[in-house]
């Protein structure tokens, strides 16, 4: 009995595993038995496997009753291509980390026809379908009138046929002729500034509050190394920052970069699809592609480092996240300005003290005769007043400390010394000296003392 029970359990387990392995797609396929191979029509199995009907030489079909109850997939609003899951995950992450989108936003996407802007267009349309918030999307293309090197006119037909419900703005501006007149130092930077100004103006005309640009992580890393090596600053592209309008502060414009966490190879791989590849616009601008540029050199440097360290760009993304914030540039600049100010000689206390000492040691500048005479007279008068005041203070201090007898003796000694130096007190004969020695001595009070009376009389 135990053996029979074990055999029954094993049979049940085998049946369960076989039924679980058969998927719903395989159940819909036509299955034929080995005896009926090549004869009759195939038998279609339903989900319950209860409607099989066999006959000699012929078989009947059984249709499923659940086809009408299947849920229909939600169709997208636009016929766009869905980006790969990795790219969409990085888009979600960047938008969530930097608060790029909110309900009721009006976005203006700068579409140049390259792989990055086209990938971002399809990514935003997919976000518009999936996210619970609602936002409007406008697209703008700028034609700089460079027909030989860059002609985006084919994008007009592409946008009308593929995305007829998306508002599209095609702006033409003869940037090259303006550059020849103004003769800027860098044609590439001049063209970029002019295009950015046109995008700002178009966004304000269409009442869009956010401008969407298609720079990715590779662009942010190249910008960081270029500013560090050539400008000595820690700065890169901002993920979300505000452009203040001086004319109307209530309608400021925000610039967002949703691809800031995506790699360039992700957009390149997505743009290689046949539906997108035939609409890519090749850029051959002489200012950007014919001459060797510093950005291309930095790109090669980073590519070489990535070949040695596979997680090179992941570490760069982690390190650049604080610098992508809008306030970080002002904070770092304030710290650097404070340190540079302390390092200057003018703000060094030791240097200031030495400078004062040098100024005191140096003679004053020469003056005119009139100024010199007036200044000398004023200086002499001030000096005399100071000396008199000093003497009075000194005498008052001595008078408080010494007795009357000592004061009188000191007064007589000073007078005698003064007359001796000047010559007013003439030398006397021996008789006069004897009389002087026998003279009466007295003090201020009239009592006996040590000072002779004739000295006091003098």
């Amino acid at each position: 009995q135990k053996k029979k029970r074990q055999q029954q359990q094993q049979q049940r387990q085998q049946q369960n595993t076989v039924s679980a392995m058969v998927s719903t797609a395989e159940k819909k396929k036509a299955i034929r038995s080995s005896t009926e191979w090549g004869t009759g029509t195939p038998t279609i199995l339903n989900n319950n496997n209860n409607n099989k009907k066999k006959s000699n030489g012929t078989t009947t079909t059984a249709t499923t009753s659940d086809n009408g109850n299947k849920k229909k997939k939600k169709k997208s609003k636009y016929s766009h291509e869905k980006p790969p899951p990795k790219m969409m995950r990085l888009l979600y992450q960047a938008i969530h980390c930097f608060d790029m989108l909110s309900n009721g936003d009006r976005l203006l996407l700068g579409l140049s026809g390259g792989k990055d802007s086209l990938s971002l267009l399809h990514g935003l349309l997919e976000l518009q379908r999936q996210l619970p918030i609602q936002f409007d999307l406008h697209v703008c293309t700028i034609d700089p009138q460079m027909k030989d090197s860059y002609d985006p006119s084919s994008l007009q037909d592409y946008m009308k046929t593929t995305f007829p419900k998306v508002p599209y703005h095609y702006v033409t501006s003869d940037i090259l002729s303006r550059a020849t007149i103004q003769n800027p130092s860098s044609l590439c930077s001049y063209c970029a500034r002019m295009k950015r100004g046109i995008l700002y103006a178009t966004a304000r005309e269409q009442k869009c509050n956010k401008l969407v640009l298609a720079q990715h992580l590779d662009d942010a890393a190249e910008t960081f190394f270029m500013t560090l090596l050539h400008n000595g600053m820690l700065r890169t592209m901002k993920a979300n920052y505000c452009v203040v309008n001086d004319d109307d502060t209530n309608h400021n414009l925000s610039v967002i970069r949703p691809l800031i966490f995506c790699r360039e190879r992700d957009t390149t791989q997505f743009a290689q699809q046949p539906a997108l590849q035939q609409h890519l616009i090749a850029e051959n601008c002489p200012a950007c592609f014919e001459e060797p540029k510093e950005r291309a050199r930095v790109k090669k440097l980073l590519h070489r480092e990535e070949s040695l360290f596979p997680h090179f760009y992941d570490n760069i993304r982690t390190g650049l996240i604080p610098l992508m914030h809008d306030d970080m540039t002002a904070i770092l600049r304030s710290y650097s300005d404070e340190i540079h100010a302390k390092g200057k000689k003018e703000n060094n206390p030791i240097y200031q003290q030495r400078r004062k000492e040098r100024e005191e040691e140096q003679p004053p500048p020469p003056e005119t005769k009139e100024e010199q005479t007036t200044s000398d007279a004023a200086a002499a008068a001030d000096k005399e007043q100071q000396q008199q005041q000093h003497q009075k203070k000194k005498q008052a201090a001595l008078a408080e400390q010494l007795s009357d007898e000592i004061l009188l003796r000191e007064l007589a000694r000073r007078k005698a010394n003064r007359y001796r130096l000047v010559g007013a007190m003439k030398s006397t004969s021996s008789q006069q000296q004897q009389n002087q020695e026998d003279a009466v001595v007295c003090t201020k009070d009239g009592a006996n003392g040590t000072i002779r009376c004739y000295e006091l009389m003098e």
Side-chain angles (χ1 to χ4, degrees):
Q1 291 179 359
K2 289 182 180 180
K3 290 181 180 180
K4 289 182 180 179
R5 290 176 183 175
Q6 291 178 359
Q7 290 177 1
Q8 291 177 0
Q9 289 179 0
Q10 290 178 358
Q11 290 177 1
R12 290 175 184 174
Q13 290 178 358
Q14 289 177 0
Q15 290 177 2
N16 292 332
T17 53
V18 170
S19 61
M21 290 173 62
V22 177
S23 61
T24 56
E26 291 176 350
K27 291 178 183 178
K28 295 178 184 178
K29 293 181 180 179
I31 299 176
R32 295 178 180 178
S33 62
S34 60
T35 58
E36 298 175 356
W37 190 266
T39 60
T41 58
T43 302
I44 301 175
L45 302 179
N46 60 352
N47 293 334
N48 297 323
N49 295 327
N50 295 325
N51 296 327
K52 291 183 180 179
K53 294 183 180 179
K54 296 182 181 180
S55 62
N56 294 329
T58 60
T59 58
T60 60
T61 61
T63 59
T64 60
S65 61
D66 296 336
N67 292 333
N69 297 328
K70 289 183 180 179
K71 293 183 179 180
K72 295 181 180 181
K73 292 184 179 179
K74 185 179 179 181
K75 295 183 179 180
S76 61
K77 187 178 180 181
Y78 305 107
S79 58
H80 61 270
E81 297 293 330
K82 185 177 180 180
K86 181 181 178 182
M87 183 177 171
M88 293 303 300
R89 176 175 58 83
L90 294 174
L91 272 175
Y92 284 126
Q93 186 178 358
I95 290 171
H96 177 70
C97 290
F98 295 101
D99 298 331
M100 294 185 184
L101 292 180
S102 59
N103 193 15
D105 284 340
R106 293 174 63 87
L107 309 182
L108 178 67
L109 171 64
L111 181 65
S112 63
K115 60 184 186 305
D116 301 329
S117 59
L118 275 177
S119 300
L120 184 57
L121 172 62
H122 290 267
L124 289 175
L125 292 174
E126 183 65 20
L127 289 176
Q128 198 175 31
R129 186 180 70 87
Q130 293 183 2
L131 290 180
I133 61 175
Q134 295 181 357
F135 60 90
D136 297 333
L137 179 63
H138 294 243
V139 181
C140 178
T141 301
I142 300 173
D143 187 2
Q145 300 295 316
M146 299 179 183
K147 300 298 182 182
D148 297 334
S149 57
Y150 174 66
D151 186 11
S153 58
S154 61
L155 292 175
Q156 299 182 23
D157 297 334
Y158 171 69
M159 291 298 298
K160 288 180 181 178
T161 56
T162 310
F163 311 110
K165 296 183 179 180
V166 177
Y168 182 66
H169 312 282
Y170 190 83
V171 182
T172 58
S173 177
D174 196 359
I175 298 176
L176 187 60
S177 61
R178 295 181 185 178
T180 54
I181 295 172
Q182 297 185 5
N183 193 14
S185 59
S186 175
L187 179 60
C188 185
S189 61
Y190 177 80
C191 181
R193 290 196 301 271
M194 293 296 293
K195 287 181 179 178
R196 185 67 64 86
I198 295 172
L199 288 175
Y200 289 163
T202 306
R204 293 191 175 99
E205 288 176 1
Q206 301 300 324
K207 296 181 181 180
C208 296
N209 61 335
K210 291 183 180 179
L211 175 64
V212 187
L213 302 179
Q215 282 90 3
H216 42 70
L217 180 61
D218 293 28
D219 295 332
E222 293 162 9
T223 303
F224 169 75
F225 281 98
M226 289 175 65
T227 53
L228 178 62
L229 296 175
H230 298 284
N231 299 329
M233 297 181 65
L234 295 176
R235 187 174 61 184
T236 186
M237 295 179 177
K238 306 300 177 187
N240 184 5
Y241 67 96
C242 183
V243 179
V244 180
N245 187 7
D246 297 333
D247 298 333
D248 189 2
T249 56
N250 294 326
H251 295 83
N252 295 330
L253 184 65
S254 296
V255 180
I256 60 175
R257 294 184 172 96
L259 293 177
I260 200 68
F261 286 164
C262 298
R263 292 293 308 278
E264 185 178 7
R265 61 191 180 190
D266 297 335
T267 59
T268 304
Q269 184 178 2
F270 175 64
Q272 287 177 355
Q273 298 182 9
L276 298 178
Q277 192 173 8
Q278 59 183 351
H279 300 291
L280 290 176
I281 305 298
E283 294 186 4
N284 297 314
C285 179
C288 300
F289 295 96
E290 292 183 1
E291 299 179 1
K293 292 297 179 180
E294 184 64 20
R295 185 173 289 273
R297 190 181 72 84
V298 174
K299 185 188 288 292
K300 291 180 181 179
L301 186 145
L302 297 179
H303 180 69
R304 184 173 67 250
E305 294 298 324
E306 187 182 10
S307 62
L308 298 175
F309 305 101
H311 300 286
F312 180 69
Y313 270 94
D314 295 336
N315 298 333
I316 285 180
R317 178 175 56 195
T318 305
L320 291 182
I321 285 176
L323 298 179
M324 292 176 185
H325 198 272
D326 189 13
D327 299 333
M328 186 55 65
T329 301
I331 294 171
L332 294 177
R333 185 174 293 176
S334 64
Y335 285 142
S336 60
D337 293 343
E338 182 180 357
I339 292 172
H340 289 316
K342 289 181 180 179
K344 291 182 179 179
K345 291 182 177 180
E346 290 79 4
N347 299 326
N348 193 351
I350 300 175
Y351 176 78
Q352 292 179 358
Q353 185 178 0
R354 291 179 180 177
R355 186 175 180 181
K356 288 181 180 179
E357 292 176 356
R358 291 175 185 175
E359 290 178 355
E360 291 176 357
E361 292 176 358
Q362 290 179 358
E367 299 178 352
T368 59
K369 292 182 179 180
E370 297 178 356
E371 293 178 353
Q372 189 172 2
T373 53
T374 53
S375 62
D376 291 343
D382 294 339
K383 190 174 182 180
E384 288 179 358
Q385 290 180 0
Q386 291 178 1
Q387 289 179 356
Q388 291 176 2
Q389 292 177 359
H390 182 67
Q391 288 179 0
K392 288 179 180 180
K393 291 179 180 179
K394 191 174 180 180
Q395 290 176 1
L398 289 172
E400 292 177 357
Q401 296 177 1
L402 303 177
S403 61
D404 296 340
E405 185 178 356
I406 297 173
L407 289 174
L408 292 172
R409 187 185 299 172
E410 181 66 21
L411 180 61
R413 188 187 65 78
R414 290 183 181 182
K415 285 184 179 181
N417 190 17
R418 186 177 59 186
Y419 290 140
R420 191 181 304 114
L421 292 175
V422 177
M425 183 178 289
K426 297 180 180 180
S427 61
T428 57
S429 60
S430 60
Q431 186 177 1
Q432 292 177 350
Q433 290 179 2
Q434 186 67 26
N435 295 333
Q436 289 176 2
E437 291 176 357
D438 296 338
V440 179
V441 293
C442 61
T443 61
K444 182 178 179 182
D445 298 333
N448 293 329
T450 58
I451 302 176
R452 298 177 179 85
C453 290
Y454 75 89
E455 292 181 1
L456 292 175
M457 295 296 292
E458 290 178 352

